[in-house]
Amino acid sequence: MRSGRRDGGSADPGAGRLPEPPAPRRAPDDVRPRPQHRDTGESTGPLPVPVAPPDTSGSARLRFVGAATRRIARGIDLDEIVLGLCRSVVPAFADAILVYLRDPLPVGDEQPAEPFLLRLRRTDQDTAADGVPPLPGPTDLVEVAHMGALSEVLRGVRPVFGDSLAARGALTELVGRATSLPPGRRTIIAPLRGRRRVTGVVVLLRGGARDPYERNDLLVAAQLATHTALGIDKAEVYRREAYIADELQRTMLPESLPQPTGVKLAYRYLPAAETAQVGGDWYDAIPLPGSRVALVVGDVMGHSVSSAAIMGQLRTATQTLAGLDLPPQEVLHHLDEQAQRLGEERMATCLYGIYDPIAQTLTLANAGHPPPVLLHSEGHSQVLEVPPGAPIGVGGTVFESMEFPVPPGSTLVLYTDGLVESRLCDVWTGIERLCDRLVATAALTGPGHPPPLEPLCDEVLDVLDPATRDDDIALLAARLDGIAPSSAAQWQLEPRPQAVREARRYARAALTGWGLEDLSDSVELLVSEVVTNAIRYARRPVTLRLVHAERLRCEVVDDVPQLPRLRRAGPADEGGRGMFLVNRVAEAWGAERLSAGKVVWFEI
């Protein structure tokens, strides 16, 4: 959220700048009226400092309090609120101010920490004022004694002059005995009480060159303290909510991404500016059968805890749908239905793609998201124009998918709109800048030598000026190297007993062609066990697939949804040892349900 006007909004220049009290006081007939100005609500320069007039009229005090409280309320975070109080008070109402806040500050309904500790948060002093000693700098914490003088003043809540016995004791506890403060009614102690409890205390000081405080000045101090305390409460609640939302989102984003065969991945996430610290951006990479990988980027509309929570639900749903090996348009269709079940106005944009490294194709479907950019290995960029569709949650949308050929060595860049759009830059201008930046980065390594992904991501993040960026950025870069067709083999096996022998023969021939004869015994054993489990219950042809890349991967796909279980067979059992052998011999293995059946895989 952005702050509003930058002016003080004073209705009278008397609330902006007045001379110091003259001495001696002039006769009433010598006082000339000050010109009046109408508050236009517009700012034409620096924020004026509200100054309390030297007279004791109620209207003058009201003008000062109005200007000061507006300035305090304009602050968003704790430091801005405290600074607004200090700049409003000095030198308008006091020659110096000390602001102490509870440490740590309690938030909302949480119980405050014990013991009661105060920390000097800020001091401000008019250097031209006489009679005010140097103020103490930030020191160690001040512990408020349970039955001490400072505790008594804080419990009273109302501002008090520094001439009472309790006030003098409270000042000694705050600044120590070594600091000499102005005596008598040149000091006001104003507790800061929020909605539920005291969160701090303010000390206002006047030097000897100014008149002492009057009884009505206590009302002014009370108004300033109340507005400051309520502002501190709101600032702390906002800070805590932003922190919770940020942590919620970060825990829902993947800590690391897989590195599928034929694909290299790099990613970045940057929170928005301080005025909007969290949103619903996410990214993901999900391995699929056939050495394919699903690449996802999405953005839930809004910046709040709800946006982060919805993002987590949609990301989980996306992973589940991807595990069913649905086509991209079907995934977006089901996500759209899920968003509608979450409630009205739960909308998000999403780009979902499936990369097949063997066929070297990329299939994309889009739900209102900015289009991806493909950086070719020769150094030129291409915006992949996928039918945008409507955002997820709108309902009744038919999503379309498009297939693109992807030459080996190409780099796919998926991103959220925070990378290319700001309050000073529209989306398409930002996309053009992104393409130019990608081309310039690729030129550093030359044609045929794609730039490294990590430095590429760092370069891409500088497309927008950070000073104008006000949204999250999720970035996913994928180097699509592909898998040579000669490194993959696939066969269809009829569900009959002879299929096991055929599977062993196919596997042996493929390993011989790849020069991996030393793995034949292990692979044939594992293939026999997995294919045996598949054809026992399958009614349709079983698919056997071998892929030779960094590892040798074997996948067996059938039409039976039940997943195999790993169990230890007894001495008298005739079966139950197949998956136990797979678990012992294979480097890794797993089983996943598909939309129609399952896939069992192992790597060796």
Side-chain angles (χ1 to χ4, degrees), residues 11 18 28 78 124 136 150 154 167 187 198 234 264 268 272 284-285 307 310 322 421 466 515 522 526 598:
L18 284 178
L78 185 63
D124 204 351
L150 180 56
L154 295 180
T187 301
V198 172
K234 290 186 291 185
K264 297 183 179 66
R268 294 289 188 275
D284 216 338
S307 299
I310 294 169
E421 183 181 24
S522 299
L526 299 182
K598 68 175 180 296

Side-chain angles (χ1 to χ4, degrees), residues 262-283:
V263 180
K264 297 183 179 66
L265 299 172
Y267 53 92
R268 294 289 188 275
Y269 169 75
L270 288 182
E274 293 184 359
T275 54
Q277 293 183 352
V278 69
D281 294 18
W282 88 90
Y283 55 87

Side-chain angles (χ1 to χ4, degrees), residues 312-330:
Q313 295 180 67
L314 291 180
R315 177 174 176 249
T316 301
T318 303
Q319 290 179 325
T320 303
L321 294 169
L324 297 177
D325 202 12
L326 298 175
Q329 68 274 16
E330 288 295 323

